[in-house]
Amino acid sequence: MRKAFIITSITILLLVGILIYINWKFIFFLLLFVPLILMGLYDMYQSKKTIRRNFPLLGRMRYLLESLGPGVRQYFVETDLDGKPFNRQQRSIVYQRSKHESDSMPFGTQLDVYKEGYEWINHSIRAISFSEVDENPRVKIGSSQCLQPYNASMFNISAMSFGSLSKNAIIALNNGAKQGGFFHNTGEGGLSPYHLLGGDVVWNIGTGYFSCRTSDGKFCFEEYTKRAMLSNVKMIEIKFSQGAKPGHGGILPKEKVTDEIAEIRLVSKGQDVLSPPSHSAFTTPLELMDFVKLLRKGSGGKPIGMKICIGNKSEFISICKAMVQTNTYLDFITVDGGEGGTGAAPQEYSDHVGMPLRDALAFVYDCLNGFAIKDQIKIICSGKVITGFDIIRNLSLGADLCNSARGMMFALGCIQALECHANTCPTGVATQNPELMNGLVPEEKSVRVARYHAETVKSAMDLIASAGLIHPNDVDRTVVSTRIDRTKIETYEETYPELKVGSLLEASMVPNEYFRFWKKASTEKF
């Protein structure tokens, strides 16, 4: 191949030379072929890519076609139900609702209703008129120890940091939250000015303690209090882990630490910024309870919660034991499923670390019930929540309300280009490139975020009414059924039998399937 390329190149150059000698107008052939020949020669002698070395110039087509593959598949090959992680049908319903277009479907479902895993809502003969239910119900978050309870929407914006998302995206999300009356979680990247434009905010505090840290990365109570007392900040969330990469720290390279990001995160320029895999402010469940009391004090009594992707079951049971032992309660727990998203994560973490949402949600609810503390704590869940049915499914398993990240990104105009990690997001959502970012107009997109929220909540309440129920609190594990195989069907009540209230308080009462984890759990260590 290489010998043939050399012979062909020499032949072309000789031919072009003869043509130019005959007529100077043929010089444009020289301008066309010489660069191609030089590229081919470079391919022959570079050593990094074997295909290009063995097939000069022609081998470049392989990399071109590979780069075009995702777009070609998405727009020309995939059916409405094939795309991953969200198919075209799921994306379309967000686009339609955010633009206030009709989302009605003709000719029946495209889903295989006899396929294993198909789920549906058990509607009632005595279905309730939609006019009889609250179109936008509120969920009160705040234990008996909370001085400033918060009335949350049942559907909100999940954690996404400024830096991962563009400034314009954050502005649009916050203004959308303000217009629609729901909360906007900051993500662990700190409390930026773009989170404080009037929308209700949940301040997510991760292991890096951004916006409330000392110069050496430890938690700083003074900086925390200064921001936690802000009127826009309605709740504080301690981040243990997120679904896409639980148990994994992060690094923001020093090249990406701008003056603005350094000021927001309280970090120094000129060095990498670390997010450790675990917290330094506490190391045991009992110390966590002390930290919760400290955060509650520094916020003036606002709801304090935690975000976790379930890993070792005994560790979560340890936290429950510590709450009971110290009589100190979290106000909410955000459960993130292993199917959660992120701008960038190692593939092994995204694919194989962390409990999936449904199993985790049922486990957390049952643990809180088992320790007789569920009445103090609200459960928020996140992980591929897009539609009203997704909300009902999670409420059925024990959630009180839901968050969505990628759904809200679609409302902003995200096309699932899968370039979040490359700073080349074509829609300006997940990039810091000013030219791409400026294509996203916050004034326009904030309206779409608010519309998407309103229509999705309306859809969820419509489904609740069809089941003969009035309020999200009425949804239990009998509401949703799942096809186990071609002939077997189970409700969530059968698949995930609930623990009795108080059954985890004494060793003699603990069910067999929980006993090994319960015995291992200690308030003295995780």
Side-chain angles (χ1 to χ4, degrees):
M1 179 66 189
R2 298 173 68 189
K3 186 181 294 185
F5 177 79
I6 293 172
I7 293 172
T8 303
S9 300
I10 293 172
T11 303
I12 291 173
L13 286 174
L14 288 173
L15 180 59
V16 170
I18 292 169
L19 291 173
I20 292 172
Y21 179 76
I22 295 172
N23 189 332
W24 67 270
K25 293 181 181 179
F26 286 101
I27 196 169
F28 79 92
F29 282 107
L30 183 67
L31 297 177
L32 174 63
F33 285 108
V34 168
L36 293 176
I37 291 170
L38 291 175
M39 289 170 63
L41 290 171
Y42 172 78
D43 288 346
M44 286 173 54
Y45 292 102
Q46 59 83 33
S47 59
K48 292 184 178 180
K49 296 187 177 180
T50 305
I51 295 293
R52 281 168 51 187
R53 185 175 172 86
N54 288 340
F55 301 92
L57 198 59
L58 188 63
R60 290 176 179 262
M61 291 297 294
R62 181 260 183 192
Y63 300 99
L64 175 62
L65 293 173
E66 186 178 54
S67 67
L68 294 174
V72 171
R73 285 193 295 272
Q74 184 177 131
Y75 291 105
F76 300 107
V77 179
E78 293 175 356
T79 70
D80 287 349
L81 302 177
D82 284 343
K84 300 292 182 182
F86 293 91
N87 61 45
R88 191 190 306 273
Q89 190 177 88
Q90 290 172 311
R91 301 195 302 270
S92 293
I93 198 169
V94 179
Y95 299 147
Q96 290 159 353
R97 287 176 174 171
S98 67
K99 297 174 184 177
H100 214 39
E101 297 175 351
S102 173
D103 59 359
S104 298
M105 175 188 292
F107 233 65
T109 182
Q110 296 183 44
L111 301 176
D112 181 355
V113 299
Y114 296 101
K115 183 179 180 180
E116 180 182 325
Y118 174 72
E119 296 175 311
W120 65 92
I121 286 174
N122 302 314
H123 68 282
S124 172
I125 292 175
R126 294 183 58 81
I128 296 171
S129 170
F130 182 69
S131 61
E132 297 181 44
V133 301
D134 187 347
E135 288 190 27
N136 189 17
R138 313 303 288 185
V139 180
K140 183 180 178 181
I141 301 177
S143 67
S144 58
Q145 298 162 348
C146 177
L147 301 179
Q148 298 187 53
Y150 174 65
N151 289 317
S153 169
M154 65 187 295
F155 189 49
N156 305 277
I157 301 171
S158 196
M160 293 182 282
S161 302
F162 168 58
S164 177
L165 265 57
S166 69
K167 175 183 75 174
N168 287 10
I170 297 294
I171 291 172
L173 289 171
N174 196 261
N175 282 329
K178 180 181 179 181
Q179 294 167 34
F182 51 101
F183 71 66
H184 178 192
N185 192 302
T186 66
E188 68 172 315
L191 189 64
S192 77
Y194 314 115
H195 291 110
L196 301 173
L197 301 177
D200 290 348
V201 168
V202 174
W203 182 12
N204 178 295
I205 299 176
T207 56
Y209 305 113
F210 299 125
S211 296
C212 57
R213 60 185 265 147
T214 60
S215 58
D216 60 349
K218 304 299 183 184
F219 176 73
C220 178
F221 182 70
E222 290 73 23
E223 294 290 353
Y224 164 77
T225 301
K226 189 190 306 181
R227 293 163 178 79
M229 287 290 191
L230 294 172
S231 60
N232 290 81
V233 177
K234 302 300 182 182
M235 303 196 295
I236 313 297
E237 180 178 79
I238 308 165
K239 179 195 170 185
F240 276 73
S241 53
Q242 67 184 94
K245 48 183 177 183
H248 189 276
I251 299 177
L252 184 66
K254 59 185 177 184
E255 294 79 15
K256 291 188 176 182
V257 183
T258 64
D259 290 332
E260 183 178 42
I261 288 177
E263 182 179 357
I264 290 168
R265 295 196 176 199
L266 300 182
V267 299
S268 302
K269 287 189 66 179
Q271 60 186 25
D272 294 338
V273 180
L274 303 178
S275 295
S278 59
H279 281 269
S280 60
F282 54 88
T283 57
T284 71
L286 290 177
E287 289 178 2
L288 169 61
M289 294 303 106
D290 290 335
F291 190 59
V292 168
K293 287 188 281 189
L294 183 67
L295 295 186
R296 189 170 279 140
K297 175 184 176 183
S299 66
K302 293 177 181 178
I304 308 297
M306 61 180 277
K307 177 179 181 179
I308 188 169
C309 176
I310 298 297
N312 292 320
K313 290 183 177 181
S314 60
E315 293 179 346
F316 184 76
I317 294 175
S318 295
I319 294 173
C320 294
K321 283 186 174 182
M323 283 192 279
V324 172
Q325 181 176 323
T326 62
N327 196 32
T328 301
Y329 307 114
L330 291 159
D331 298 291
F332 66 94
I333 296 173
T334 302
V335 182
D336 201 10
E339 62 269 48
T342 185
Q347 183 172 340
E348 293 89 344
Y349 276 83
S350 290
D351 288 349
H352 301 293
V353 182
M355 189 182 293
L357 179 60
R358 293 176 216 175
D359 306 280
L361 187 52
F363 170 73
V364 168
Y365 176 85
D366 287 339
C367 281
L368 297 180
N369 245 357
F371 282 97
I373 54 177
K374 175 61 187 73
D375 61 330
Q376 298 281 349
I377 302 166
K378 292 297 187 290
I379 298 176
I380 306 172
C381 77
S382 61
K384 299 191 77 172
V385 181
I386 290 287
T387 67
F389 175 71
D390 296 332
I391 293 175
I392 301 305
R393 179 170 56 198
N394 292 326
L395 295 182
S396 181
L397 285 167
D400 295 288
L401 58 154
C402 297
N403 288 350
S404 176
R406 287 169 289 183
M408 296 297 178
M409 289 173 67
F410 289 140
L412 288 174
C414 167
I415 60 172
Q416 195 170 277
L418 304 181
E419 297 182 20
C420 309
H421 62 299
N423 204 36
T424 55
C425 172
T427 60
V429 176
T431 179
Q432 300 306 309
N433 183 320
E435 293 182 3
L436 295 172
M437 186 195 315
N438 289 337
L440 193 161
V441 181
E443 293 78 12
E444 170 67 24
K445 300 302 183 181
S446 62
V447 175
R448 295 191 181 187
V449 169
R451 282 178 187 154
Y452 167 58
H453 166 270
E455 292 299 316
T456 304
V457 170
K458 180 180 177 182
S459 168
M461 293 308 300
D462 206 5
L463 292 171
I464 286 175
S466 295
L469 307 175
I470 296 280
H471 193 273
N473 291 345
D474 299 328
V475 179
D476 60 24
R477 295 184 185 180
T478 66
V479 172
V480 178
S481 289
T482 305
R483 180 172 294 284
I484 306 303
D485 57 35
R486 298 292 287 187
T487 59
K488 186 178 181 181
I489 295 166
E490 289 184 353
T491 64
Y492 279 163
E493 183 180 45
E494 297 170 282
T495 307
Y496 302 99
E498 290 189 22
L499 290 190
K500 292 181 180 179
V501 176
S503 60
L504 296 180
L505 289 172
E506 299 291 340
S508 60
M509 302 167 61
V510 178
N512 291 335
E513 63 270 26
Y514 277 75
F515 189 77
R516 176 164 55 94
F517 305 109
W518 186 92
K519 186 177 181 181
K520 183 180 178 182
S522 169
T523 60
E524 301 291 341
K525 64 178 181 178
F526 284 111

